Amino acid sequence: MTAEPASTPPPAPPSPRAPARRRRREALRDLAREYARHRAGVVGLVGLLAMVVLALTAPLLVDPADLTVTRAPGAAFEPPGARFPLGTDDYGRSILDLVIWGSRVSLTVGFLATVVSVSLGTLVGITAGHFGATGGTAGRILSSILLRLTDWFLVLPTLVLAVALAAVLPRGTGTIIIAIGLTVWPATARLVRAQTLAVEARPYVERARALGGGHAHVMLWHVLPNIMPVVLAQTTLLVATSIIAESTLAFLGVGDPTTISWGGILESARNAGAISSGIWWYMIPPGLAIALVALAFTLCGRALEAVIDPRLREQR
């Protein structure tokens, strides 16, 4: 007797989420192609990636022992030369090493403070927009309370509030992140609320509510994915604001004194009298680094905004 050939199993049915994943991949490819057409955005992205790589490789490029005041490798206030391309500070430390090492703290604070700010602003904006549109009397009351709270933070001087929080809380990098994150979120909340109201008026959201979708389902699965491009563009713009805010707080003397950041270098230059003494190499490199990073993030944010908004794309 001959053995019957083994029957091949039927092919597995395609996943119902496969078309959605394919559409997301195509959308990302289209976004990348459209972004590549913006020369300023590409320049900003390249500069940003270079700065991030520099911050990540800082422990390989700089010996932390050379950053201490007891083991400074040079004399105080040496001008730029072959040994020290950017000169030295009042302790004899290399300004170039300080700028490279300070990029780690400045970029970390900028990213984390932006995450705190964008998360808080997105939560408040989606909640206010959703319940203001469909929440009934109680929802409109909640939306009104959140809007008044947002307006209150908007009218407060951001820098003064950040300085007050940094002065009251224990000094440290975490305090600076919290102080910045809690002061720059209202603009994101207002933007997200406006986008949420526009999404809530679309027919598929109304169908989702008619089919029994609750508040959390509508906000997480219908509103949030549609406003994420706007949130992403806002994030790139806020990182530059957060880095400048951290540098300002450090320059005013309310930053973390145990860490090296670009603002801390400027604060040390001011205390050492570099401004009045004409020691320009102590002030210009950290200030230029802050300006370049802020410019890179701004270029990336503007390019993303132009890619996402069809009206800006047509004007280009």
Side-chain angles (χ1 to χ4, degrees):
M1 289 181 64
T2 60
E4 295 182 359
S7 59
T8 58
S15 173
R17 296 184 179 181
R21 288 195 292 266
R22 184 171 60 254
R23 287 194 298 268
R24 292 192 190 99
R25 289 194 296 268
E26 294 175 354
L28 288 176
R29 284 195 294 267
D30 293 340
L31 179 66
R33 283 195 295 267
E34 188 65 28
Y35 185 92
R37 298 178 183 176
H38 294 263
R39 295 181 180 179
V42 173
V43 171
L45 182 60
V46 171
L48 178 59
L49 292 177
M51 190 61 67
V52 171
V53 171
L54 182 65
L56 293 176
T57 58
L60 303 177
L61 302 175
V62 179
D63 185 4
D66 293 338
L67 302 178
T68 60
V69 297
T70 57
R71 288 188 53 184
F77 295 136
E78 284 191 30
R83 185 182 179 191
F84 301 106
L86 298 181
T88 62
D89 65 353
D90 50 328
Y91 294 105
R93 298 175 296 180
S94 172
I95 299 295
L96 178 60
D97 291 349
L98 291 174
V99 171
I100 293 175
W101 195 267
S103 64
R104 302 170 74 242
V105 174
S106 296
L107 290 177
T108 300
V109 171
F111 280 119
L112 294 183
T114 301
V115 170
V116 173
S117 174
V118 170
S119 300
L120 182 59
T122 302
L123 177 62
V124 173
I126 288 182
T127 304
H130 173 77
F131 285 99
T134 62
T137 303
R140 285 192 292 270
I141 293 175
L142 175 61
S143 176
S144 179
I145 293 174
L146 293 176
L147 287 177
R148 299 294 79 78
L149 179 64
T150 304
D151 292 339
W152 184 73
F153 273 93
L154 276 174
V155 299
L156 288 177
T158 302
L159 180 59
V160 175
L161 181 58
V163 170
L165 289 174
V168 171
L169 297 175
R171 298 185 70 175
T173 304
T175 297
I176 298 299
I177 293 172
I178 295 174
I180 297 174
L182 292 180
T183 54
V184 297
W185 63 268
T188 303
R190 277 290 184 179
L191 177 63
V192 170
R193 176 183 175 272
Q195 295 295 320
T196 300
L197 292 175
V199 173
E200 290 280 350
R202 296 176 182 175
Y204 65 86
V205 177
E206 297 180 1
R207 288 196 295 267
R209 287 197 295 265
L211 293 174
H215 296 297
H217 175 81
V218 171
M219 287 189 292
L220 290 176
W221 295 102
H222 296 284
V223 177
L224 184 60
N226 284 280
I227 67 172
M228 279 306 295
V230 177
V231 173
L232 179 61
Q234 179 71 2
T235 300
T236 57
L237 296 175
L238 279 181
V239 172
T241 303
S242 300
I243 291 176
I244 295 175
E246 184 276 332
S247 303
T248 304
L249 293 177
F251 180 76
L252 294 176
V254 294
D256 187 358
T258 62
T259 60
I260 299 173
S261 66
W262 293 332
I265 300 173
L266 291 175
E267 196 260 344
S268 299
R270 183 195 61 180
N271 293 337
I275 299 175
S276 58
S277 301
I279 305 174
W280 56 268
W281 60 86
Y282 202 170
M283 302 172 291
I284 291 181
L288 187 61
I290 296 170
L292 290 177
V293 171
L295 177 62
F297 275 108
T298 302
L299 291 177
C300 292
R302 294 303 182 189
L304 275 176
E305 193 176 13
V307 170
I308 293 169
D309 194 338
R311 294 170 297 180
L312 297 178
R313 194 184 311 172
E314 293 173 0
Q315 295 174 3
R316 183 170 55 86

